[in-house]
């Protein structure tokens, strides 16, 4: 794909546009019941925190594709211009341990980072770090650092109860639950689970023609961990096993136990990476790193059951060659799904139909290499792409009616950005 000038509109075929329009019209009764985010108001400073790779991977494993050199400095934060989406540097907490994933608690008083390149003597485990957030400035103060229990913690999320941090160890193929203590510090793990099973084939079932996208089919690789909206179940996509593992979660003990069934399989080699729930809690969308596709699942929150119903490519029609998918998100109004493509270096968007099915609408160049992740500002008006190999974050305006993205012209230098999250200082803790 050739780079486009910033004035070039997003590429949308007439056929896909008409299909999407029909899907939206058909789905209008459903969307009327969902909350819609209003335009930004000047309530106070809006900050963006960016996790980065700040050191090279200490061990290069066989088949390892993504080898960031560690150009970041740690956790960077920026003040966000609510009108334009532009980022202005506001601070950095220097860490040489690659805090590649960060999560902020609901009160906006604590931030937790998964430190991917730190190695402890126990099983080459990585670490998680807890910080307090100064509500007047956004500055971070270190609280404590604890073991993640496994190698390469690549993801951290906070349980809906606010009492636990959940982490997925990519290289360890494991997950851990860590209690959040009253002072915000992390306690020793209340539970630890090791993924096990048959590793999938290197060639993805649904790979694009001519693809050499081979990344994680050598060992189990837990790539994400997140509780469902009820907090009763915890879901873990394991890229190497081609499964989404579902755990029951006991909030009183912080323990995980296998669900029945304990997992659901995806096509061999496709490599489930991340997922996103629809606001209605009944649909889950999973993006596959090597298969370059998105799968719609019906989700039964009473049993933690997933039922696959649709598979659609994350790429525009006619694409051939190698591509690695990364992030997936659902717009806050529940009308669109967005998925990031690395090597193709695009973010595609899909209209959500009345029954949750997706229709490809268009895609926009990320204006940089290897979009590892992206996120929306709290209003849903802007999308921020963390272009890992380009060492910058690019900003796009979101058309809330069509789902379309348009480049704002704003690019902020950040070494090896991995993910971005937001905090409104003007809102009370």
């Amino acid at each position: 794909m050739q780079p486009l000038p910033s004035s070039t509109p997003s590429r949308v075929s007439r056929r896909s546009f008409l299909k999407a329009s029909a899907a939206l019209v058909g789905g209008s009764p459903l969307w009327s019941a969902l909350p819609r985010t209003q335009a930004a108001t000047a309530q106070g400073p809006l900050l963006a925190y960016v996790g980065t790779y700040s050191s090279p991977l200490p061990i290069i494993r066989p088949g390892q594709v993504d080898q960031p050199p560690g150009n970041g400095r740690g956790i960077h934060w920026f003040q966000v211009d609510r009108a334009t989406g532009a980022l202005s540097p506001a601070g950095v907490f220097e860490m040489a341990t690659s805090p590649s994933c960060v999560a902020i608690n609901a009160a906006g008083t604590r931030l937790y980072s998964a430190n991917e390149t730190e190695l402890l003597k126990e099983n080459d485990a990585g670490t998680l770090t807890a910080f307090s957030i100064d509500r007047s400035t956004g500055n971070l103060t270190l609280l404590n650092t604890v073991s993640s229990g496994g190698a390469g913690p690549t993801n951290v999320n906070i349980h809906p109860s606010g009492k636990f941090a959940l982490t997925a160890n990519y290289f360890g193929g494991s997950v851990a639950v860590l209690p959040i203590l009253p002072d915000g510090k992390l306690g020793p793990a209340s539970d630890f689970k090791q993924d096990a099973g048959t590793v999938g084939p290197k060639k993805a079932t649904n790979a694009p023609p001519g693809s050499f996208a081979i990344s994680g089919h050598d060992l189990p690789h837990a790539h994400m961990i997140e509780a469902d909206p009820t907090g009763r179940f915890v879901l873990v996509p394991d890229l190497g096993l081609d499964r989404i593992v579902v755990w029951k979660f006991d909030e009183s003990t912080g323990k995980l136990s296998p669900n029945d069934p304990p997992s659901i399989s995806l096509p061999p080699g496709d490599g489930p990476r991340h997922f996103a729930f629809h606001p209605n809690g009944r649909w889950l969308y999973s993006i596959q790193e090597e298969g370059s596709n998105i799968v719609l699942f019906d989700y039964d929150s009473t049993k933690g059951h997933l039922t696959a119903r649709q598979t659609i490519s994350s790429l525009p029609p006619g694409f051939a060659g190698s591509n690695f998918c990364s992030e997936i998100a659902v717009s806050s109004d529940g009308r669109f799904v967005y998925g990031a493509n690395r090597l193709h270096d695009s973010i595609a968007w899909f209209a959500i139909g009345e029954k949750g099915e997706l229709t490809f609408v268009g895609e926009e160049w990320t204006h940089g290499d290897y979009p590892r992740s992206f996120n929306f500002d709290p209003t849903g008006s802007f999308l921020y792409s963390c272009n890992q190999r380009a060492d910058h974050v690019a900003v796009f305006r979101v058309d809330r009616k069509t789902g379309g993205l348009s480049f704002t012209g704003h690019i902020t230098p950040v070494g090896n950005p991995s993910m971005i999250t937001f905090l409104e200082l003007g809102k009370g803790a």
Side-chain angles (χ1 to χ4, degrees):
M1 181 180 66
Q2 296 298 317
L4 299 179
S6 60
S7 59
T8 303
S10 303
R11 289 153 284 176
V12 183
S13 71
R14 181 176 182 272
R15 179 178 298 179
S16 63
F17 177 79
L18 291 174
K19 286 183 179 179
S21 299
L24 288 175
V25 171
S28 57
L30 174 65
W31 311 138
S32 63
L34 293 173
R36 296 178 183 272
T37 306
Q38 301 300 317
T41 56
Q43 300 175 356
L46 172 63
L47 297 184
Y49 292 84
V50 178
T52 69
Y53 283 97
S54 55
S55 64
L57 295 175
I59 299 174
I60 304 300
R61 295 164 171 83
Q64 181 66 28
V65 175
D66 190 7
Q67 301 177 23
N71 296 331
R73 293 172 55 197
I75 301 173
H76 302 243
W77 59 96
F78 303 85
Q79 184 155 344
V80 182
D81 186 313
R82 293 177 181 269
T84 67
L87 302 178
S88 301
V92 59
F93 193 100
E94 299 204 7
M95 302 171 68
T97 55
S98 294
S100 59
C101 184
V102 293
I104 296 175
N105 67 346
T109 57
R110 304 286 186 262
L111 181 145
Y112 300 91
S113 70
N115 310 317
E116 194 164 346
T117 62
E118 185 166 21
L119 294 184
L120 303 180
K121 291 182 179 179
E122 45 170 309
N123 304 320
D124 289 335
T127 61
L128 266 64
T129 298
F131 300 88
S132 65
I133 301 174
D134 186 320
R135 293 290 305 180
S136 61
T137 64
N139 292 346
L140 301 179
T141 299
L142 176 68
L143 294 177
N144 75 327
T145 296
V146 299
S147 172
S148 71
T154 189
N155 188 247
V156 60
N157 269 298
I158 298 172
H159 185 267
S161 66
K163 299 177 181 178
F164 301 92
L166 311 172
T167 187
N169 298 303
Y170 180 80
F171 293 118
S174 61
V175 298
V177 180
L178 295 97
I180 296 176
L181 306 179
D183 59 2
K185 293 181 179 179
L186 292 168
S190 57
D191 205 358
F192 175 87
K193 301 294 184 184
Q194 178 69 53
D195 290 354
T198 302
V199 175
K202 291 183 177 180
K203 180 69 174 179
T205 299
N206 291 301
S211 173
F212 289 90
I214 299 170
S215 60
H217 286 89
D218 54 343
L219 297 167
H221 289 300
H223 215 306
M224 176 186 176
I225 183 169
E226 185 174 312
D228 76 349
T230 72
R232 297 177 55 221
F233 299 94
V234 170
L235 288 76
V236 180
D238 191 298
L239 186 147
L241 301 180
D242 297 313
R243 298 189 317 198
I244 298 177
V245 181
V246 182
W247 299 97
K248 296 177 183 177
F249 186 73
D250 186 333
E251 186 182 321
S252 64
T253 63
K255 297 288 187 181
L256 301 167
S257 60
N259 195 37
D260 183 17
S263 65
I264 186 167
S265 296
L266 283 98
D270 277 14
R273 177 185 172 94
H274 281 189
F275 63 82
F277 278 100
H278 188 275
N280 65 19
R282 295 186 287 109
W283 303 329
L284 179 144
Y285 300 93
S286 172
I287 194 164
Q288 282 55 252
E289 179 171 310
E290 296 171 58
S292 290
N293 58 49
I294 297 171
V295 175
L296 159 65
F297 291 91
D298 288 318
Y299 181 67
D300 183 342
S301 62
T302 63
K303 300 178 180 180
H305 288 180
L306 292 166
T307 304
R309 186 150 51 84
Q310 180 198 22
T311 299
I312 186 171
S313 174
S314 67
L315 296 157
F319 176 85
S322 299
N323 177 73
F324 294 94
C325 288
S326 56
E327 189 62 276
I328 187 166
V330 182
S331 61
S332 60
D333 60 13
R335 300 176 67 231
F336 301 98
V337 164
Y338 295 78
N341 296 297
R342 296 174 292 179
L343 297 187
H344 188 256
D345 294 336
S346 66
I347 295 176
W349 62 96
F350 305 80
I352 300 176
E354 188 174 32
K355 297 181 179 180
E357 296 96 337
L358 301 181
T359 301
F360 176 81
V361 182
E363 45 92 15
E364 172 69 9
W365 175 43
T366 57
H367 289 256
D369 295 349
Y370 226 63
R372 184 172 181 85
S373 71
F374 63 85
N375 201 359
F376 299 95
D377 78 309
T379 71
S381 300
F382 296 97
L383 181 148
Y384 295 77
S385 178
C386 293
N387 297 324
Q388 178 186 309
R389 294 182 180 174
D391 297 309
H392 72 232
V393 176
V395 188
F396 301 83
R397 189 176 292 275
V398 180
D399 186 320
R400 303 302 298 279
K401 294 182 179 179
T402 68
L405 302 176
S406 57
F407 181 49
T408 62
H410 298 302
I411 290 180
T412 302
V414 187
N416 287 162
S418 178
M419 75 159 296
I420 183 169
T421 191
F422 296 87
L423 174 64
E424 295 190 85
L425 291 184
K427 291 186 176 181

